[in-house]
Amino acid sequence: MSNAISSQPASYLEFWSEYHLCTLTTLRPDGRPHVVPVGVTIDAASGVARVITRKSSKKVANILACGGPAPVAVCQVDGGRWATLEGVAEIVADATAVEDAVARYGERYRRTPAPDSERVVIQISIERAMGKTRLTRPQAAQTAA
């Protein structure tokens, strides 16, 4: 298990298994951030996060423009709970890897996307994990109200 993930409490992994839309931040060639909504799955045992997308997307172009592994971040938030994973991304087009990523997406988001010959995987090697995935009593009471 990745040290970045294994050092987090169990609630952190549980939060990443819940149905939440996320954001992916990549860097444009001029250094400005590009932030888009995505679905993210994590494989804590291998320290990898995955995003499925089309190879013609801006996020893929930004990653490829780096000429190697590109710095990225994925984040999700739910009320007072939040989690961010930072790492380096590469584009994977291998059919087996894409199929695996689609299956993982289907499991987390309870729907399998239609087949798409343009689909690729943004595979993120997780280097840092942070967040707050447990609510304190006052926050929990506000959420329940």
Side-chain angles (χ1 to χ4, degrees):
M1 187 180 285
S2 166
N3 286 339
I5 296 294
S6 64
S7 64
Q8 297 296 321
S11 62
Y12 194 82
L13 289 178
E14 291 169 18
F15 187 52
W16 279 104
S17 70
E18 296 171 9
Y19 187 112
H20 297 289
L21 290 180
C22 306
T23 59
L24 168 70
T25 303
T26 60
L27 296 177
R28 294 180 176 101
D30 66 5
R32 291 180 303 138
H34 176 252
V35 184
V36 293
V38 294
V40 176
T41 62
I42 66 166
D43 178 352
S46 64
V48 170
R50 294 176 180 87
V51 174
I52 56 175
T53 190
R54 295 182 60 102
K55 64 183 171 185
S56 60
S57 71
K58 180 65 176 168
K59 52 192 163 287
V60 168
N62 289 342
I63 291 167
L64 292 175
C66 285
V72 299
V74 290
C75 181
Q76 66 181 20
V77 63
D78 178 43
R81 299 183 306 154
W82 64 275
T84 298
L85 301 171
E86 295 176 347
V88 292
E90 62 181 329
I91 305 304
V92 179
D94 172 74
T96 303
V98 171
E99 186 177 300
D100 177 61
V102 168
R104 291 171 186 273
Y105 179 96
E107 189 174 309
R108 180 173 185 194
Y109 292 101
R110 297 182 291 278
R111 76 169 192 83
T112 302
D116 185 345
S117 62
E118 298 292 305
R119 184 168 288 129
V120 295
V121 179
I122 297 173
Q123 185 167 290
I124 304 164
S125 297
I126 302 166
E127 297 176 339
R128 186 173 181 202
M130 63 200 98
K132 180 180 179 186
T133 56
R134 298 183 81 187
L135 296 177
T136 59
R137 288 218 183 269
Q139 290 173 319
Q142 291 172 357
T143 302

